[in-house]
Amino acid sequence: MTEAEWERIQGELRFGQVVTGTVVRVPRPGTIGIFVDIGLGVEGFVDVVLLPRTRIEDWPAEGTVTDFEIWWVHKGHQQIRLKPSDPKYLCEDFADFVARYRPAWPSEIGEVVRSSKPSTP
């Protein structure tokens, strides 16, 4: 994808925007996260820190179709970071995680992704 196309896509995305995706790869459950096809021509990814920690078997399996929210955009690698919308796929301590690592998340929801720089570990 060209840089211009990537910039255009970013301009259409908002933090917290819900997208439906299909889990396409779960390379090392419990280690790195999952890869998701959200139909935009760029890779979607859910980081391990946003997935269930106590029951890895609760992670969505390859082929699972579910909703995700735009969490942030990895601009240099043309990757869209996602968070699961369904609480069964979300880390058990999400509220504590947000309070500690991304307290501005509620105020970022709805902002264009390229105009903001969220901090995520």
Side-chain angles (χ1 to χ4, degrees):
M1 172 178 302
T2 68
E3 192 61 34
E5 181 68 7
W6 177 226
E7 285 292 321
R8 184 193 63 74
I9 288 172
Q10 289 176 66
E12 296 174 358
L13 299 175
R14 306 277 186 269
F15 288 116
Q17 178 180 340
V18 176
V19 295
T20 300
T22 303
V23 177
V24 292
R25 275 188 304 149
V26 184
R28 294 189 316 227
T31 307
I32 65 166
I34 61 175
F35 294 88
V36 180
D37 180 355
I38 56 173
L40 293 177
V42 294
E43 188 173 68
F45 183 76
V46 180
D47 195 282
V48 65
V49 299
L50 294 175
L51 293 164
R53 292 188 197 111
T54 57
R55 294 181 39 94
I56 295 167
E57 60 272 13
D58 288 342
W59 283 26
E62 288 181 13
T64 300
V65 177
T66 190
D67 288 340
F68 298 90
E69 295 175 37
I70 305 293
W71 181 248
W72 68 284
V73 172
H74 195 292
K75 296 175 195 275
H77 290 71
Q78 294 188 0
Q79 185 180 73
I80 298 171
R81 295 294 180 110
L82 306 166
K83 95 174 217 5
S85 292
D86 189 330
K88 74 180 176 186
Y89 297 133
L90 189 59
C91 61
E92 300 84 356
D93 62 344
F94 180 71
D96 293 335
F97 177 84
V98 168
R100 183 172 180 186
Y101 294 107
R102 194 156 171 202
W105 169 247
S107 66
E108 293 170 350
I109 294 173
E111 290 183 20
V112 177
V113 298
R114 71 174 172 199
S115 65
S116 301
K117 294 183 180 168
S119 58
T120 300

